[in-house]
Amino acid sequence: MRLNVNENPYPPGDDVVADIAAAVTAVAGSLNRYPDREAVELRTALAGYLGHGLTPDNLWAANGSNELMLQLLQAFGGPQGKALVFVPTYSMYPEYARNSLTPIVTGARADDFTVDAVAAVELIQAERPTIVLLASPNNPTGTALRLETVAAICAATTGIVVVDEAYSEFRRDGTPSALQLLAAYPHLVVTRTMSKAFALAGARLGYLAADPAVVDALRIVRLPYHLSSVTQAVALTALKHRNELLATVEELRRERDATVTWLRANDLAVADTDANFVMFGRFEDRHEVWQGLLGHGVLIRETGPAGWLRVSIGTAGEMSAFRGALLEVLDR
C-alpha cells in the first residue's frame, strides 16, 4: 500500500475516463502535426478555473510543476542568479537549481515550520536572490504561508517570488491563496498542478499564473512544442469534469483531519497541515518505524527533519490499515 508520494487515491470515474478516451481519439488523427505550442485553449480554460480576473495571457502550462520550476530557474536563475528557499521544504528545489546552474541559499523555518516574515526579509536583503521559492502548503510539512508573509517577501525583493501551490485545493477553510496578491505584485508567480486534487498524476500537467511579462520570459527558455496534443486534450477534458474530479477533495480533507486527531491522541507530534499528507513524529529512530510499517505492507515517506515521517492520505480503508500497522510497530 503506497502512502508515500501524495497521490490522490481515487482514480477518475468511468464517465471521465470515457471522455478522456474520446478526446484523445479526436486528436489521434492529427498526431502527424505538432501541437498548439501556445496551448491557447487550455490556458483559457485554466484561467477560467482559477478566476481572480486572470486571462490566458496570465497562464502558462507545462509537463508537470517540475518543468515549470526548471523553466522559471532557467529564465530567472542561472549562474548569474541566486535562488532562496526556506527549509525544510520540497526536496527537488535544490535539484532544479543544480540542473539550471543556479546557486541556492537556504533560510530556516521556525519551530512550527512557518516562515518568519521579518527574518525572511532580512535574509533577502543580505542575499539579494533573483528568485525565491516558497511552497504553500509546504512539502513535507503541510504548512501554509500567511498572505502577509508572501506580501512582505514580495515587497522586499525585485526578484521573482514563486509560491508553489501544488496542494492548494486541500487547504483548510479560511486558508487563502497567493492568487489574491497577483495584481499587486507583477513579479509574483503562483504555480499549481493537476496531479493531486484532479487525480491526474499520470497526465503530467502543471500550470502557473503570473504577469504576462513573466509568461513571455518562459517562452524564451521552453523547449519547442513542449506540451503534447494528447496532454492538452486530457487536461481540457479534466477541467470540463472539474466538479466530479474535485469531489474527492472533501473526503480526503476529512480523512486528513481525522488522521491528525488520531496521531495526536496517540501522543505523537503532528505538524499542522493544509495538504493531502501529514508529517508526524518525533521518533528516536524514524527509519526503524518506517521499516516496521513497510514490513506490514504500508509504504510511507522517510523525509523532513530528523525524527519525522510523512504519510499521504489514502482511502478510509488504507488509513485504517496505516493506523493498525503503526500501533503494532509502536507496540501500543
Side-chain angles (χ1 to χ4, degrees):
M1 183 171 61
R2 297 191 307 178
L3 298 175
N4 65 319
V5 289
N6 304 337
E7 295 166 331
N8 189 320
Y10 298 103
D14 292 343
D15 289 346
V16 181
V17 171
D19 279 359
I20 287 175
V24 173
T25 298
V27 301
S30 60
L31 289 179
N32 58 309
R33 303 296 184 185
Y34 286 113
D36 174 10
R37 66 182 298 173
E38 291 297 310
V40 174
E41 186 179 2
L42 175 58
R43 288 164 53 216
T44 300
L46 288 168
Y49 168 63
L50 290 182
H52 293 276
L54 297 170
T55 73
D57 290 339
N58 296 111
L59 270 293
W60 189 245
N63 287 283
S65 296
N66 311 79
E67 186 175 35
L68 288 177
M69 291 295 174
L70 190 56
Q71 288 177 347
L72 286 163
L73 282 161
Q74 287 172 325
F76 301 104
Q80 305 306 314
K82 184 186 295 184
L84 171 63
V85 299
F86 294 88
V87 295
T89 193
Y90 186 37
S91 60
M92 286 300 296
Y93 291 154
E95 305 301 315
Y96 303 147
R98 179 200 65 195
N99 292 346
S100 60
L101 303 179
T102 306
I104 190 167
V105 294
T106 60
R109 289 173 175 261
D111 290 342
D112 61 355
F113 305 119
T114 59
V115 175
D116 179 82
V118 174
V121 168
E122 290 177 352
L123 186 58
I124 287 168
Q125 292 171 342
E127 294 289 347
R128 301 198 176 279
T130 56
I131 183 167
V132 181
L133 302 176
L134 303 164
S136 181
N138 184 48
N139 184 4
T141 66
T143 317
L145 287 167
R146 298 174 67 235
L147 281 190
E148 294 84 353
T149 300
V150 178
I153 289 173
C154 287
T157 180
T158 57
I160 295 295
V161 177
V162 181
V163 179
D164 181 354
E165 292 190 346
Y167 304 95
S168 181
E169 286 89 352
F170 298 102
R171 290 170 296 152
R172 290 172 290 178
D173 292 340
T175 303
S177 165
L179 290 171
Q180 298 180 34
L181 298 175
L182 279 175
Y185 299 103
H187 56 307
L188 173 63
V189 177
V190 180
T191 65
R192 294 282 187 95
T193 182
M194 297 186 80
S195 294
K196 313 301 181 182
F198 276 87
L200 285 179
R204 307 307 301 131
L205 196 288
Y207 59 102
L208 62 76
D211 188 89
V214 174
V215 174
D216 282 343
L218 299 183
R219 286 187 172 92
I220 297 172
V221 299
R222 66 165 171 196
L223 293 173
Y225 307 106
H226 69 290
L227 204 58
S228 77
S229 298
V230 171
T231 299
Q232 293 181 46
V234 170
L236 276 166
T237 305
L239 286 166
K240 292 173 183 176
H241 285 273
R242 70 187 68 169
N243 291 337
E244 181 178 347
L245 288 169
L246 295 176
T248 63
V249 168
E250 187 57 38
E251 172 61 27
L252 291 169
R253 289 171 62 181
R254 285 194 296 267
E255 198 64 51
R256 172 200 64 203
D257 293 343
T259 299
V260 169
T261 299
W262 182 86
L263 288 166
R264 286 174 174 164
N266 280 274
D267 300 321
L268 293 168
V270 182
D272 289 336
T273 176
D274 280 276
N276 66 331
F277 54 83
V278 178
M279 193 178 76
F280 66 101
R282 302 178 177 96
F283 302 106
E284 186 174 333
D285 187 345
R286 70 174 179 180
H287 183 72
E288 182 180 20
V289 177
W290 178 88
Q291 191 69 56
L293 287 169
L294 185 60
H296 285 78
V298 179
L299 177 60
I300 67 171
R301 187 75 184 272
E302 187 176 358
T303 187
W308 295 82
L309 296 167
R310 191 196 70 196
V311 59
S312 304
I313 301 302
T315 64
E318 289 172 334
M319 299 315 293
S320 177
F322 160 74
R323 292 191 295 270
L326 185 59
L327 287 176
E328 289 200 33
V329 170
L330 299 179
D331 194 24
R332 296 182 181 177

